[in-house]
């Protein structure tokens, strides 16, 4: 009999800890809704004590989502646990996830606690969490580098204090698959009360082994996997949900497990997370990369024509990648456009639809052929931005080898139109200077990247911009057939995100803590 593997998605918590990946409340709700629709078992909605914004998003998601368990993260501190409970208590199925580091390195240098003090903290905090919430998960941070006998003791104690899930993280992505699997095997064999809890795996990708380590943990007894869409997460990221789910599905003959995930929603979820965070998916990324189902070599194409199984181990349809039948052009109306969006997996509200449709019409005037990729880029650039504080209105630039580079820009800031003319070292520099003049935000430009979305000289350019201000980073994309306009849009999108992050990190009643590097 195949056994169920519970999917615990942490895109909204560990995923959001990626440098530059910030999401506002509306965006987080959109992601939570898609995760619920995919039948994710547990959604870790955030770290409620981290900021007022985090608290608000965890509590709003708890109220809105009905079919998935909602978890809130808490350090081993009573105030963290109380705040996490306040945020998740509205959920149909709430969960408190509390953690403390158990490796010698973390205990000595980060926590400045002895092993017995850590044991005492586990006792106090897990019992406290269990008094508030029937569903408590406890994590031994940096388990991959912890002493195994000490781990046994901590896990036994956490279970006896009421934890019903024990999460074993490879926090720094240090272990090898057999090494990590062996930790689970030993826990299963040596912790007397382990049958009273579900074992969970949480891996990071520093050595590119996050998914392999999670699979190995499942083979040795883990029944919950913590993962993120597109493998988003701290540093090199977390294990990718889509890779784990599809590996279990494709290799079910060798692994007697299943998940409840509706795999046909994977593409839609991947695109949404990419457009919201501004993190592009690399073309050769497993499952959701643009080339994951592309066949270039003649010998492969020939095989595919004869039998798709020759070079495909899963169908594109199984991850929701369908060949769209509608071809759009400048005469297409709103209904046809909306139908196309639905085929591509998007459902937009009326306001967002009108905004994106307007941009589609502009694009269709400039470009002969509109590809699916163009529409995906427009949605990514626009969907979540209708309430933006700073909006792009128009741009005129002087460029070329003989001219002075000058940008004449109009932005709308909080409803008021503002204009600036600035010069610079090239048209992009001039444009960014005029944005700085209008907005008076002098963030450092940490990344500027341009790529063509499709083939052809009339292709849209997609620009990625990452900004940094006082250790806060934000990243966003912008697209347009004119790459200078695309650059302006990307910069403005990143600025809007920076403003949200600024308010989120402002000290307030809920939080005086700094949460970087959890
Ligand atoms: O990587 C980690 O150890 C974590 C814990 C908070 C579970 O993210
Ligand atoms: Zn983590």
């Amino acid at each position: 009999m195949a056994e169920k593997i519970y999917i615990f998605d942490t895109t909204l918590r560990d995923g959001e800890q990626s440098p530059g990946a910030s999401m506002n409340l509306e965006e987080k709700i959109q992601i939570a809704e898609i995760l619920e629709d995919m039948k994710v078992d547990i959604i870790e909605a955030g770290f409620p004590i981290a900021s007022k914004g985090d608290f608000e998003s965890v509590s709003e998601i708890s109220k809105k989502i009905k079919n998935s368990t909602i978890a809130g993260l808490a350090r081993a501190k009573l105030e963290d646990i109380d705040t996490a409970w306040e945020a998740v208590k509205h959920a149909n199925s709430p969960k408190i996830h509390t953690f403390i580091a158990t490796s010698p390195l973390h205990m000595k240098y980060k926590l400045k606690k002895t092993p017995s003090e850590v044991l005492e903290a586990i006792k106090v905090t897990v019992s406290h969490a269990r008094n508030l919430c029937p569903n408590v998960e406890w994590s031994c941070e940096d388990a991959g580098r912890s002493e195994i006998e000490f781990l046994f003791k901590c896990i036994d104690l956490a279970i006896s204090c009421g934890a019903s899930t024990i999460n074993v993280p490879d926090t720094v992505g240090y272990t090898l698959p057999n090494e990590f699997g062996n930790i689970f095997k030993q826990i299963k064999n040596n912790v007397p009360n382990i049958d009273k809890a579900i074992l969970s795996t949480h891996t990071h990708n520093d050595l590119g082994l996050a998914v392999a380590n999670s699979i190995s943990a499942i083979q040795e007894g883990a029944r919950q996997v913590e993962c993120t869409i597109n493998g988003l997460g701290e540093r090199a990221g977390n294990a990718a949900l889509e890779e784990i789910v599809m590996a279990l599905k494709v290799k079910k003959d060798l692994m007697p497990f299943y998940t409840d995930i509706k795999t046909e929603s994977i593409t839609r979820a991947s695109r949404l997370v990419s457009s919201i965070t501004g993190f592009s998916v690399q073309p050769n990324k497993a499952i959701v990369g643009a080339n994951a189902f592309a066949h270039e070599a003649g010998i492969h194409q020939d095989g595919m024509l004869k039998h798709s199984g020759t070079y495909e181990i899963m169908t594109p349809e199984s991850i929701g990648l369908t060949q769209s039948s509608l071809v759009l052009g400048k005469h297409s109306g709103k209904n046809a456009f909306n139908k196309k969006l639905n085929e591509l997996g998007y459902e937009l509200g009326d306001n967002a639809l009108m905004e994106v449709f307007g941009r589609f019409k502009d694009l269709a005037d400039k470009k002969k052929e509109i590809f699916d990729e163009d529409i995906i880029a427009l949605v990514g650039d626009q969907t979540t931005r209708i309430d933006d504080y700073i909006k792009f209105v128009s741009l005129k630039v002087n460029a070329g080898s003989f001219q002075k580079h000058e940008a004449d820009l109009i932005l709308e800031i909080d409803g008021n139109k503002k204009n600036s003319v600035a010069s610079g070292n090239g048209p992009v520099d001039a444009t960014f200077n005029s944005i700085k003049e209008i907005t008076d935000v002098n963030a450092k430009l940490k990344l500027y990247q341009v790529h063509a979305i499709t083939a052809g000289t009339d292709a849209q350019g997609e620009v990625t911009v990452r900004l940094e201000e006082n250790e806060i980073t934000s990243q966003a994309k912008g697209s347009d057939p004119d790459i200078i306009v695309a650059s302006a849009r990307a910069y403005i999108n990143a600025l809007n995100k920076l403003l949200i992050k600024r308010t989120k990190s402002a000290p307030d009643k809920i939080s005086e803590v700094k949460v970087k590097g959890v």
Side-chain angles (χ1 to χ4, degrees):
M1 274 286 281
E3 275 186 74
K4 170 161 166 157
I5 302 298
Y6 288 83
I7 299 295
F8 177 117
D9 180 280
T10 182
T11 307
L12 297 174
R13 199 278 298 169
D14 220 330
E16 210 208 11
Q17 286 175 214
S18 304
S22 61
M23 309 172 208
N24 64 28
L25 176 62
E26 202 188 316
E27 293 167 337
K28 285 187 174 178
I29 290 174
Q30 270 185 290
I31 292 179
E33 283 174 345
I34 213 169
L35 295 175
E36 180 186 38
D37 179 63
M38 281 175 90
K39 302 208 178 331
V40 161
D41 298 289
I42 302 117
I43 299 172
E44 186 162 53
F47 188 6
I49 198 146
S51 71
K52 204 171 169 185
D54 266 57
F55 180 87
E56 196 189 354
S57 49
V58 178
S59 53
E60 282 310 306
I61 289 170
S62 299
K63 288 174 196 159
K64 279 217 153 65
I65 300 297
K66 299 292 172 221
N67 301 320
S68 308
T69 295
I70 305 299
L73 186 69
R75 293 168 302 181
K77 291 180 182 242
L78 299 184
E79 46 168 344
D80 277 41
I81 293 170
D82 290 339
T83 310
W85 173 241
E86 281 307 306
V88 296
K89 69 178 182 194
H90 314 281
N92 270 354
S93 167
K95 179 171 192 140
I96 296 177
H97 175 194
T98 181
F99 71 98
I100 191 164
T102 50
S103 66
L105 199 70
H106 276 228
M107 290 191 290
K108 183 167 176 196
Y109 294 103
K110 190 182 86 170
L111 299 176
K112 300 194 179 9
K113 281 191 194 300
T114 62
S116 15
E117 285 169 332
V118 167
L119 283 165
E120 182 58 22
I122 295 170
K123 191 166 142 204
V124 173
T125 54
V126 175
S127 310
H128 184 67
R130 184 62 184 79
N131 280 337
L132 297 170
C133 181
N135 190 350
V136 174
E137 170 169 330
W138 177 75
S139 289
C140 27
E141 192 192 9
D142 206 18
R145 295 187 298 174
S146 298
E147 281 165 7
I148 197 77
E149 293 291 335
F150 183 59
L151 266 190
F152 299 157
K153 258 196 215 163
C154 294
I155 294 172
D156 185 69
L157 178 62
I159 296 174
S160 59
C161 294
S164 50
T165 307
I166 297 296
N167 181 43
V168 180
D170 181 18
T171 303
V172 289
Y174 176 69
T175 61
L176 296 175
N178 63 343
E179 199 184 354
F180 195 55
N182 199 31
I183 294 176
F184 283 76
K185 189 174 181 173
Q186 293 194 64
I187 291 172
K188 278 237 102 145
N189 291 337
N190 291 286
V191 176
N193 54 5
I194 197 66
D195 57 316
K196 299 199 171 59
I198 290 189
L199 257 179
S200 166
T201 157
H202 177 114
T203 53
H204 281 268
N205 210 25
D206 301 66
L207 291 173
L209 294 169
V211 171
N213 283 351
S214 288
I215 299 284
S216 176
I218 291 171
Q219 288 172 319
E220 296 299 348
R223 292 295 173 265
Q224 174 179 291
V225 187
E226 301 200 353
C227 45
T228 58
I229 302 288
N230 297 339
L232 203 67
E234 278 272 5
R235 306 181 310 279
N238 289 60
L241 178 148
E242 62 278 6
E243 294 179 23
I244 290 171
V245 167
M246 292 314 285
L248 292 175
K249 190 168 172 159
V250 169
K251 301 295 289 182
K252 62 174 181 289
D253 53 334
L254 290 184
M255 296 187 286
F257 308 110
Y258 69 93
T259 71
D260 283 343
I261 296 298
K262 194 168 99 193
T263 59
E264 292 76 12
S265 298
I266 284 177
T267 300
R268 195 157 69 95
S270 163
R271 285 176 183 164
L272 182 71
V273 169
S274 166
S275 64
I276 284 178
T277 55
F279 279 51
S280 306
V281 172
Q282 76 193 61
N284 57 331
K285 158 96 176 59
I287 317 293
V288 289
N291 293 348
F293 293 90
H295 304 278
E296 176 84 11
I299 201 167
H300 287 205
Q301 289 175 347
D302 181 53
M304 283 296 293
L305 289 172
K306 289 173 177 148
H307 190 294
S308 64
T310 51
Y311 288 100
E312 269 178 11
I313 57 168
M314 62 197 128
T315 64
E317 291 77 19
S318 66
I319 58 144
L321 197 63
T322 46
Q323 271 299 333
S324 161
S325 53
L326 272 172
V327 179
L328 295 186
K330 67 187 210 178
H331 300 299
S332 306
K334 202 175 84 198
N335 285 345
F337 181 69
N338 199 22
K339 183 148 189 280
K340 174 68 142 191
L341 288 180
N342 295 343
E343 278 187 1
L344 292 173
Y346 298 107
E347 269 168 51
L348 304 190
D350 287 347
N351 289 349
L353 177 63
M354 282 318 290
E355 291 269 340
V356 187
F357 182 60
R359 288 217 36 215
F360 157 74
K361 281 292 200 187
D362 290 346
L363 183 65
D365 272 340
K366 294 179 196 150
K367 200 169 179 282
K368 261 202 290 229
E369 248 183 307
I370 305 284
F371 297 96
D372 289 357
E373 289 83 351
D374 288 315
I375 295 172
I376 293 165
L378 283 187
V379 178
D381 194 6
Q382 196 74 27
T383 350
T384 53
R385 336 227 101 96
I386 42 180
D387 296 326
D388 276 350
Y389 186 71
I390 308 169
K391 288 184 178 171
F392 173 84
V393 178
S394 68
L395 173 68
K396 202 167 86 196
V397 273
N398 272 339
S401 54
F402 295 109
Q403 283 166 335
K404 183 174 163 204
H405 299 117
E406 207 170 58
D408 182 348
L409 175 77
I410 302 179
L411 298 181
E412 191 182 297
I413 303 205
D414 205 16
N416 303 311
K417 290 221 167 74
K418 303 235 159 126
N419 173 235
S420 149
V421 179
S423 56
N425 192 9
V428 175
D429 192 42
T431 303
F432 289 0
N433 286 341
S434 50
I435 298 176
K436 282 184 212 158
E437 261 188 40
I438 297 180
T439 58
D440 210 20
V441 180
N442 205 358
K444 271 199 204 114
L445 180 68
K446 301 300 276 189
L447 174 88
Y448 173 76
Q449 204 168 277
V450 191
H451 88 274
I453 290 175
T454 57
T457 47
D458 66 347
Q460 286 199 89
E462 185 174 65
V463 175
T464 307
V465 160
R466 187 187 298 165
L467 299 176
E468 189 189 272
E469 182 198 63
N470 302 331
E471 287 184 35
I472 304 174
T473 55
S474 73
Q475 182 163 316
K477 294 194 273 197
S479 60
D480 197 275
D482 182 322
I483 57 163
I484 313 300
V485 175
S487 304
R489 287 188 186 280
Y491 197 101
I492 292 162
N493 291 341
L495 263 186
N496 279 313
K497 289 186 161 231
L498 195 70
L499 297 184
I500 297 165
K501 279 202 150 183
R502 254 194 202 169
T503 33
K504 273 183 67 171
S505 65
D508 54 63
K509 251 199 0 239
I510 294 171
S511 163
E512 281 116 38
V513 290
K514 201 161 183 284
V515 293
K516 263 191 103 190
V518 168

